[in-house]
Amino acid sequence: MAVWGGASESDLKAAGAEALPDGPSGVRLRGWHIESSRRPILNSLALQEWEEKLGTSHLPEMVFGESSLYLLHEDSGLKLHFNAFDALKGWKREPLPPVEVPAAAKWKFRSKPFQQVILDYDYTFTTPYCGSEAIEPNPEKAISEDGCCSLCWEDCDERIDLAALSSKEPILFYDEVVLYEDELADNGVSLLTVKVRVMPSCWFLLLRFWKGFPSDSASYGDPNLISQRLPVIAHKTQRLKVSRCPEKSPFHRAA
């Protein structure tokens, strides 16, 4: 559910921000238009269309195909957006082998009890997706002489300032959007979500894919707690550079 984080009209005004008018959940702050949208699960017809486009007969049980989060830098036209379709394209392009868990033997028979079903795809729907980006030219503002910017992610040694996120700044806008979810036949959960928090000095976004398993321990279903017990396989920090817009500060992402 979208909230204003307890921010009052005076907090918004003091930060130079304003709530989006006429229905959309979001805020406009320092040249950024930040908007979230949550819609119902795709119906069977829409799922069939997605299967055809993605070239698969397998999709998560719950696909929130019209739900999204996007951030638009209005001057440069830089748009960062997060959606289920692009995330599932990432899953389809990275054919991981099926995860073997004790319940897998039962799943092989769940759709055809008298005929073994070979699980030859990653049924956890794990995706390397880190978001989508694009340039949406603003016809009212010239970006450059040729009217075009280009985007480039580059590796860097800088780190996200996590200390800044624990400051006492008011939260001007917060939302969490579920992109897709599968309960793995009641034997766990696969969940892709994106969260955003907007403060006067910055915004912070977290895209998380989570595989949880049922357990007697309540913490085992909490990504924040269990992630502290898992080994780090890889860590990468990148920054996005927008060419021909040198006055714009790059921002960073970590994976």
Side-chain angles (χ1 to χ4, degrees):
M1 179 178 183
V3 297
W4 298 111
S8 63
E9 288 294 332
S10 60
D11 288 330
L12 291 169
K13 186 175 181 180
E18 61 178 344
L20 297 182
D22 302 327
S25 297
V27 67
R28 184 176 285 109
L29 172 68
R30 297 171 63 181
W32 284 95
H33 177 112
I34 302 171
E35 182 176 332
S36 62
S37 174
R38 289 184 290 157
R39 297 290 185 267
I41 300 171
L42 289 182
N43 58 36
S44 58
L45 180 59
L47 284 174
Q48 183 178 353
E49 293 177 353
W50 277 41
E51 289 177 350
E52 293 174 356
K53 291 178 180 179
L54 291 168
T56 182
S57 58
H58 309 287
L59 286 178
E61 295 171 339
M62 293 168 280
V63 179
F64 299 87
E66 301 302 322
S67 295
S68 65
L69 171 69
Y70 80 86
L71 305 94
L72 174 67
H73 188 264
E74 296 174 320
D75 283 351
S76 66
L78 168 63
K79 181 180 180 180
L80 305 172
H81 55 106
F82 301 83
N83 61 86
F85 188 82
D86 287 349
L88 288 169
K89 283 200 298 186
W91 159 76
K92 189 66 170 57
R93 291 170 181 169
E94 187 173 79
L96 297 177
V99 177
E100 288 295 332
V101 297
K106 297 180 181 178
W107 295 350
K108 293 178 181 180
F109 295 93
R110 65 178 180 177
S111 61
K112 297 182 180 179
F114 303 105
Q115 180 180 351
Q116 184 175 0
V117 177
I118 303 301
L119 293 178
D120 57 355
Y121 68 99
D122 173 25
Y123 47 77
T124 66
F125 301 99
T126 301
T127 177
Y129 181 64
C130 293
S132 308
E133 62 269 348
I135 288 290
E136 291 192 352
N138 187 336
E140 298 180 358
K141 297 183 179 180
I143 297 175
S144 63
E145 291 184 359
D146 60 8
C148 180
C149 277
S150 61
L151 306 175
C152 177
W153 285 101
E154 61 179 23
D155 295 340
C156 66
D157 295 326
E158 299 173 68
R159 294 291 183 265
I160 296 173
D161 187 358
L162 297 179
L165 300 177
S166 61
S167 65
K168 299 300 182 180
E169 285 191 291
I171 298 176
L172 306 176
F173 176 70
Y174 168 83
D175 200 5
E176 178 177 6
V177 178
V178 178
L179 299 180
Y180 63 75
E181 181 177 357
D182 194 296
E183 295 184 355
L184 304 178
D186 297 326
N187 290 286
V189 62
S190 288
L191 182 66
L192 182 66
T193 62
V194 59
K195 303 178 184 180
V196 66
R197 175 159 43 120
V198 182
M199 295 153 287
S201 64
C202 65
W203 51 261
F204 177 72
L205 184 144
L206 174 64
L207 176 72
R208 169 180 278 162
F209 175 79
W210 165 247
K211 289 184 296 187
F213 296 89
S215 171
D216 293 336
S217 172
S219 65
Y220 207 74
D222 187 333
N224 295 317
L225 294 177
I226 202 64
S227 63
Q228 301 175 18
R229 308 177 189 178
L230 299 176
V232 177
I233 303 300
H235 184 277
K236 178 187 289 187
T237 303
Q238 295 179 308
R239 63 183 178 183
L240 178 62
K241 295 190 69 175
V242 183
S243 66
R244 304 190 186 95
C245 299
E247 74 279 3
K248 307 303 178 186
S249 300
F251 67 93
H252 304 84
R253 70 178 180 187

